[in-house]
Amino acid sequence: MSDALQLPIIDLSSPDRFSTANSIRAKNLLCIQFVTLSKCNEICFQTQEVFEQACVDHGFFYLVNHGVDEGLIKKVFEQSTNFFSLPIEDKMKLAKKNHRGDPKESFYIGPLSDNLNQWPLEEDLPSWRSTMETYHQKVLSAATKLLSLIALSLVLEEDFFEKVGALNEPLAFIRLLRYPGDLDSSSEEICGASAHSDYGTVTFLMTDGVPGLQICREKSAQPQVWEDVASISGAFIVNIGDMMERWTNCLFRSTLHRVLRPRQERYSVMIHPLLITFSRISCPSGILNESPQRLYCGMFGKLFQRVLSAKVSIQLIPTHQILRLLGRARETHIWLVVEVMHNSRLSCPKLVSAKEIANIELNSALASVLYLTEGLNYHAETKNNGTLSTYLSLQI
Ligand SMILES: O=C(O)CCC(=O)C(=O)O
Ligand SMILES: [Fe+2]
């Protein structure tokens, strides 16, 4: 693996919240910690004079002192391994539907407040559910603190998100991932997770340290440049999602990323907090003053709100995956919301059925597709090599 990218570190426990908030976006701050990782386990902290903006330039940063106990993180990875090590027929009991996807296994746990989640049996995996529930709550609490820093960084009141009710109904879901390792070297697939951006507000990612994550900071550059992002033990890799990018009128960046097919087995755990009310809050005028052209009509437009209330799963797909998706859409009756960029403005999203998709013009490099499966699905796929790719879709 080539030298890993230097990403900014945000310290959630720093008493100087204003400086920390500034480091989320302000340019030319002095004495901010950077980390340089050339190999995963070789950590070298370095102070640099110029701080590149965490959210504005990279859309990715490390979060340290976040209050999620290392022991709990270790337990989550152990329990994830326990789950994926169950016999395939046990895992299939939680599957509802076939799904073709990247060559990895995944398990989604939706918001804890609804009772739609499926859990492995307590007798099969003792304490599994309680471990995941505790992790869910702890990460959500770190996310809430981070959001207050984000508010400060946008020159908003620290409790802005709280006041507007964005935290009243926080929907966060956990994704447990297992990449099986490159057992089949003849495979043409180079990705364990294909290039995408995340659709939520911020994503909290923890990995087991096996390399593979890469980001592309200039998605429109040709050829695309992919840079490795290494893990730091105990630190979250946090990235900005599309929802936040849109809400800040593209001030913050939702960066394209992917995971290369790892040579050895790789585990990762993600939490995506999705703040529904957030989608109804318009971009603050302060941000619009900086970039007066409003790039999005509404947050996601009315349609997105309909989507959110329609008990469906959602995912934003970058353009280069659209064609792949179209092939899939015809098979699986996926509905898509298509937004096409016209003269650097996004048109209002349109809801189209899988049948209509073939007729949509997708010649813009910046088109994005929000695809919806028919709610509450657990998808499963058995690949030729016997690995299982599963997910329980987001329950909203
Ligand atoms: O496994 C990882 O390191 C990241 C996966 C990812 O980006 C995703 O599933 O959204
Ligand atoms: Fe992602």
Side-chain angles (χ1 to χ4, degrees), residues 129-363:
R129 179 174 179 170
S130 56
T131 305
M132 296 305 161
E133 285 179 337
T134 310
Y135 187 70
H136 196 283
Q137 282 152 0
K138 294 276 178 195
V139 179
L140 207 53
S141 134
T144 305
K145 286 189 202 144
L146 180 65
L147 281 169
S148 73
L149 280 179
I150 286 179
L152 282 178
S153 79
L154 295 170
V155 204
L156 299 167
E157 306 240 325
E158 196 168 356
D159 57 356
F160 173 83
F161 293 112
E162 214 176 321
K163 274 197 185 141
V164 294
L167 307 176
N168 291 353
E169 36 177 343
L171 296 177
F173 62 103
I174 302 182
R175 296 177 67 201
L176 306 174
L177 300 184
R178 174 186 168 265
Y179 301 83
D182 199 0
L183 302 173
D184 175 11
S185 54
S186 63
S187 167
E188 283 172 15
E189 297 182 73
I190 61 149
C191 282
S194 308
H196 65 281
S197 54
D198 293 348
Y199 57 79
T201 48
V202 277
T203 298
F204 282 68
L205 169 70
M206 192 61 79
T207 80
D208 63 359
V210 174
L213 179 64
Q214 295 190 318
I215 69 174
C216 168
R217 282 185 281 168
E218 286 306 327
K219 52 188 160 201
S220 47
Q222 283 304 331
Q224 286 179 327
V225 177
W226 289 95
E227 295 170 282
D228 298 319
V229 174
S231 299
I232 304 178
S233 172
F236 282 110
I237 297 170
V238 175
N239 63 288
I240 298 294
D242 299 330
M243 202 171 193
M244 185 65 89
E245 180 181 86
R246 286 160 189 236
W247 185 71
T248 59
N249 211 34
C250 296
L251 179 67
F252 284 1
R253 295 182 51 166
S254 174
T255 303
L256 203 59
H257 55 285
R258 69 181 184 188
V259 180
L260 294 180
R261 267 194 102 158
R263 296 249 164 79
Q264 70 192 88
E265 193 178 37
R266 178 179 188 275
Y267 285 83
S268 62
V269 178
M270 260 157 299
I271 292 210
H272 306 274
L274 183 74
L275 309 174
I276 287 199
T277 324
F278 188 81
S279 68
R280 292 175 213 134
I281 313 163
S282 52
C283 176
S285 53
I287 301 175
L288 284 176
N289 289 344
E290 286 179 39
S291 48
Q293 187 191 26
R294 194 184 270 276
L295 296 172
Y296 298 98
C297 34
M299 177 53 201
F300 280 81
K302 284 206 175 90
L303 183 73
F304 186 71
Q305 286 168 30
R306 255 179 48 208
V307 166
L308 285 177
S309 58
K311 295 209 181 301
V312 289
S313 71
I314 53 177
Q315 190 158 357
L316 270 170
I317 307 290
T319 315
H320 52 273
Q321 276 195 43
I322 288 177
L323 290 176
R324 217 178 116 189
L325 178 71
L326 293 184
R328 213 186 288 171
R330 287 192 198 98
E331 291 163 27
T332 55
H333 312 291
I334 287 172
W335 285 77
L336 299 113
V337 178
V338 180
E339 297 174 306
V340 184
M341 194 73 119
H342 290 300
N343 305 324
S344 50
R345 273 171 181 274
L346 268 185
S347 63
C348 279
K350 285 183 227 143
L351 189 62
V352 291
S353 73
K355 275 197 207 131
E356 292 166 304
I357 286 159
N359 305 325
I360 292 175
E361 270 185 51
L362 292 169
N363 51 8

Side-chain angles (χ1 to χ4, degrees), residues 112-126:
L112 301 182
S113 53
D114 62 35
N115 54 8
L116 298 163
N117 287 319
Q118 303 187 90
W119 301 96
L121 295 174
E122 185 66 23
E123 57 259 39
D124 290 344
L125 297 176

Side-chain angles (χ1 to χ4, degrees), residues 97 99 108 173 199 274 304 307-316 334-337 351 369-379 391-396:
K97 213 172 176 188
H99 169 67
Y108 281 43
F173 62 103
Y199 57 79
L274 183 74
F304 186 71
V307 166
L308 285 177
S309 58
K311 295 209 181 301
V312 289
S313 71
I314 53 177
Q315 190 158 357
L316 270 170
I334 287 172
W335 285 77
L336 299 113
V337 178
L351 189 62
V369 172
L370 187 69
Y371 81 91
L372 319 173
T373 57
E374 306 138 293
L376 317 186
N377 297 326
Y378 182 75
H379 302 267
Y391 73 87
L392 177 64
S393 59
L394 171 60
Q395 321 272 297
I396 39 178

